[in-house]
Amino acid sequence: MIGLVDCNNFFVSCERVFSPSLEGRPVVVLSNNDGCIVALSNEAKAMGLTRGTPYFKVRAMAESHGVVALSGNHRLYGDISDRVMSVLRSLVPAMEIYSIDEAFLFFDQSTGCLDEFGRYISDTVKRYTGIPVSVGIASTKTLAKVAARFAKKYSGYHGACMIGDDASRQRALELTGIGDVWGIGRRQCAHLQRMNVTTAAQFAAMERDMVRRHFTVTGEKTWRELNGEPCIELHQTPADRKSISSSRSFSRDIYDFDELREAVCTFAAIAARKLRRQQSLAMELQVMIRTNRFHQQLPQYSAESREKLADASADTMIISAAATNALKRIYKPGYGYKKASVTITRMTGRDGVQQSLFCDMRDSARRQRLMDVVDEINDQIAGGAALRLASARTPNSLIPHRTVADVKSGSVDILRPDRGLKRD
DNA sequence: TCTGGGGTCCTAGGACCC
DNA sequence: TCTGGGGTCCTAGGACCC
């Protein structure tokens, strides 16, 4: 059997751990630039607020109703997530961390009465971390998701719901809207509704061939899982990322090339840091820039460009230089750019890399040591960006909430890639 | 005035090869 | 008039997730 643990209103619950006065009050957590609502407390949901809503559209209403709106503190959420996951790890033989606030658990035969154990998991996580969670237990991941939804929705379950036999599976699917099924998004939901399929039970009762034809193999997998056949396996060890990206919307439009370049170099540095964390090297990256798509009265432009690296690298300076090259190819003056991104699109492991004929191995070893030192310093200093390239000194006012949050003043610009590194 | 960020997987269609 | 057939690889775009 498989369990799904889902933290309730995770970002809001994290804030409440440190500010108990938020308990019982409507709270929302906002995205970068305080743009959109990304998490809500039950009280805020009850007022009709929804995830994804641009905050400026509801601000007046929210303020008049005493809603507490918070800018996201992602470092805090990451730390609390680690704590939740380690509590879970101590309770089960195997698990898969699925997202910052969700994990799949694996139960073997010896686990005993799972219904009761689910409630024990919920109580234990709450006791050790302060985070309320919902636990769903069933024979497949998709059914565990369905079960967790019931555990979250109805307090009578005391935090855990199990779909243990065919009768309860059937009943649960009848009570689940097709749009609430994991793997059925907006498009497929609309498609199914046109076919008069509105509940998970109706979907599960469709002909398999028909599902395959209309919704491809992905839809078919969902169908099989709802019918109790496990086909999405449990991944115990997280796979290396196949792409790594860093992007932000800016707090105002950027027209100037140099300013845009500084932002792109900032994103390149963040992506390079993630790359080093998973011990990979970039072989190719892509830079994207675009104007504000919500301001259609202004001239619109968006473009992407790829750049191959001569030698695979995780060096911030090399990656920033490559990103700058790509940016130069697509930048057009006269447009107000609102967003940019750097994505590492192709990478390889650190060992067994084929270097080009002209690669100076000694130099690249030195550069790698330099990056290790920069990472070590940045990891120790609050904010994580005490040391950065001079080309990446984007003001915090432009990119307010970095993933490595709360960059403090006092940053030192010591590395100038345009002049190269001084020996020793 | 103000509209998030970071991923994965699948498919169709073009390029290319024999 | 009439213009092969089949396979692989790559990419862009769509759909989904949190």
Side-chain angles (χ1 to χ4, degrees):
Chain A
M1 293 290 271
I2 289 172
L4 173 75
V5 178
D6 192 343
C7 300
N8 301 342
N9 316 326
F10 184 55
F11 293 174
V12 170
S13 297
C14 290
E15 298 288 350
R16 282 175 169 170
V17 168
F18 286 90
S19 309
S21 64
L22 296 174
E23 214 64 58
R25 300 179 64 184
V27 180
V28 296
V29 174
L30 306 175
S31 65
N32 178 39
N33 287 324
D34 291 347
C36 290
I37 297 175
V38 290
L40 310 86
S41 69
N42 289 340
E43 297 79 7
K45 286 176 189 167
M47 292 168 49
L49 295 173
T50 53
R51 204 185 123 85
T53 305
Y55 189 57
F56 75 90
K57 288 187 177 174
V58 294
R59 163 174 264 142
M61 180 277 244
E63 283 174 356
S64 70
H65 287 75
V67 173
V68 180
L70 304 166
S71 302
N73 178 351
H74 295 277
R75 175 162 289 200
L76 171 71
Y77 310 151
D79 286 348
I80 295 183
S81 173
D82 290 346
R83 276 190 242 171
V84 170
M85 298 305 169
S86 58
V87 171
L88 293 174
R89 198 168 287 118
S90 71
L91 297 174
V92 291
M95 65 182 275
E96 170 189 343
I97 297 173
Y98 177 66
S99 72
I100 193 165
D101 71 335
E102 279 181 59
F104 287 104
L105 309 181
F106 173 78
F107 304 116
D108 56 21
Q109 306 290 347
S110 65
T111 312
C113 177
L114 289 178
D115 224 342
E116 211 171 287
F117 189 54
R119 286 191 289 276
Y120 173 72
I121 290 171
S122 174
D123 290 344
T124 307
V125 172
K126 172 78 177 157
R127 194 163 61 244
Y128 283 96
T129 67
I131 300 295
V133 302
S134 304
V135 181
I137 299 169
S139 56
T140 70
K141 282 184 168 180
T142 308
L143 286 171
K145 281 270 201 180
V146 170
R149 206 178 137 267
F150 283 98
K152 184 175 285 190
K153 206 166 166 186
Y154 303 105
S155 58
Y157 286 108
H158 301 290
C161 169
M162 172 154 131
I163 297 175
D165 55 32
D166 214 49
S168 58
R169 181 182 69 86
Q170 190 55 36
R171 183 87 188 111
L173 295 188
E174 282 164 13
L175 293 172
T176 301
I178 185 60
D180 291 325
V181 173
W182 186 48
I184 305 292
R186 265 223 310 270
R187 288 298 288 261
Q188 318 239 63
C189 180
H191 188 164
L192 282 160
Q193 273 168 349
R194 283 194 299 276
M195 300 167 85
N196 288 321
V197 172
T198 59
T199 68
Q202 288 169 333
F203 178 67
M206 283 174 72
E207 290 291 327
R208 180 168 172 167
D209 285 353
M210 168 102 111
V211 172
R212 171 82 187 225
R213 235 185 0 262
H214 285 263
F215 306 101
T216 77
V217 292
T218 329
E220 189 190 10
K221 271 191 182 174
T222 300
W223 179 91
R224 285 159 65 195
E225 287 243 325
L226 287 177
N227 281 303
E229 179 192 344
C231 47
I232 305 174
E233 70 270 36
L234 198 78
H235 303 281
Q236 287 191 53
T237 45
D240 278 350
R241 302 250 167 269
K242 293 172 179 171
S243 68
I244 287 176
S245 78
S246 172
S247 71
R248 294 290 182 282
S249 299
F250 309 126
S251 51
R252 57 173 166 78
D253 292 351
I254 295 183
Y255 289 84
D256 180 54
F257 175 80
D258 286 332
E259 224 178 336
L260 193 57
R261 193 202 61 207
E262 287 181 0
V264 163
C265 285
T266 300
F267 303 151
I270 293 171
R273 177 71 187 103
K274 294 183 190 175
L275 197 60
R276 294 194 290 274
R277 210 162 258 146
Q278 77 162 35
Q279 310 259 301
S280 298
L281 304 176
M283 300 165 75
E284 187 187 66
L285 58 77
Q286 176 177 279
V287 172
M288 183 278 299
I289 51 175
R290 78 156 180 242
T291 52
N292 192 333
R293 63 201 161 101
F294 296 105
H295 291 174
Q296 288 294 327
Q297 73 282 9
L298 294 174
Q300 294 289 308
Y301 173 63
S302 85
E304 300 167 356
S305 178
R306 284 169 185 251
E307 175 88 2
K308 283 199 172 71
L309 277 67
D311 293 295
S313 173
D315 186 315
T316 293
M317 285 170 276
I318 290 172
I319 289 173
S320 297
T324 304
N325 282 344
L327 175 65
K328 280 179 187 160
R329 281 197 295 274
I330 50 178
Y331 172 80
K332 281 204 232 166
Y335 291 98
Y337 295 97
K338 180 64 175 170
K339 182 173 180 165
S341 73
V342 172
T343 306
I344 314 280
T345 48
R346 199 161 303 197
M347 45 191 133
T348 179
R350 255 192 196 183
D351 346 290
V353 180
Q354 176 135 29
Q355 300 290 358
S356 76
L357 197 55
F358 306 106
C359 176
D360 180 347
M361 293 300 286
R362 255 189 62 232
D363 194 46
S364 78
R366 295 161 68 96
R367 296 278 284 252
Q368 188 175 321
R369 286 206 302 280
L370 173 63
M371 284 297 123
D372 290 345
V373 171
V374 169
D375 290 342
E376 208 173 301
I377 293 171
N378 281 339
D379 286 349
Q380 283 173 20
I381 297 177
L387 287 181
R388 48 192 155 125
L389 294 184
S391 58
R393 56 184 155 192
T394 309
N396 294 338
S397 60
L398 204 56
I399 311 174
H401 307 129
R402 298 171 190 235
T403 314
V404 286
D406 301 326
V407 180
K408 299 284 190 284
S409 57
S411 297
V412 197
D413 297 325
I414 60 157
L415 307 175
R416 297 189 162 270
D418 46 337
R419 293 187 205 162
L421 277 180
K422 277 195 182 153
R423 294 280 166 191
D424 304 316

